[in-house]
Amino acid sequence: MMSGLHTRLSAAVLYMVTAPVLCLAQLETLEAAKVLSVHGNVSVVRDTQAWAVMPGMTLQPRQEVITGADGYAVLQVADGSQFEVFPNSRFVFRQNAGSLRELLDLWIGRVKVHIQKLNGQPNPNRVRTPTAVISVRGTIFDVTVEDDGDVTLVYVEEGQVAVQHAILPYTDAKLLNAGEYLRVYKNAPLAARRVDRGLVLQRSLRVLSDVLVMKGPRLGGGGSSAGGAAGSTGGSVGLPGDTGSTTPPPPPPPPPPPPGGN
């Protein structure tokens, strides 16, 4: 009897000692993201302070990134997957530390994500917004959060994604293939997916990208640097039959450089 009690007590003590170490190890295994290129006003929030993001910096899990009206950046994780973040956006990188599948939480604005397959095999990742959960295994897709977070537009350029509502009770996911898109509204069930006939939406997204002064790598074989004036990509992307618009939030003030560099 006493021997069994001692065994249980020893096991409990061992768990109390090792659990914090295991949790710390789990956090340390989460991938960071390397900043490949930056244009305009892009900042990372550290201890409530905004610091300028520079090429070559490393973005750690749970760090928040904000872009101004001319802000644009390309980031890459260890498996080669990349994502572009566009003007007037705010996201948290790997907000949910308990899962390697969580890529980012986009609160407002737009990102373009290119998930690389691992040796030809699926590479599960998720992107979350206030209204949607987008699951992918290896694809190129756009996510735009409109109307102060009440609407999410998901557009698939290549591959396939699964979209679920983030607020309403669970329903079967909608599968989107290349050239299809879906708007997820805060207080409405998932509608039927829509086909981008004539690739109108894809061209619109490219036009919004090309008005920026792009420097560095682009996703999906991307485009060269443009020499025009910078512009905002905030707001909803319109298609025939779509309604709604977004007033983008004002950009944050220009942040100081981080102390000592990174």
Side-chain angles (χ1 to χ4, degrees), residues 14-38:
L14 179 63
Y15 174 80
M16 293 175 63
V17 172
T18 59
V21 177
L22 292 175
C23 291
L24 180 60
Q26 183 183 44
L27 287 173
E28 289 177 346
T29 60
L30 287 172
E31 297 176 6
K34 183 178 180 180
V35 180
L36 299 185
S37 64
V38 177

Side-chain angles (χ1 to χ4, degrees), residues 240-251:
D242 287 334
T243 60
S245 61
T246 301
T247 301

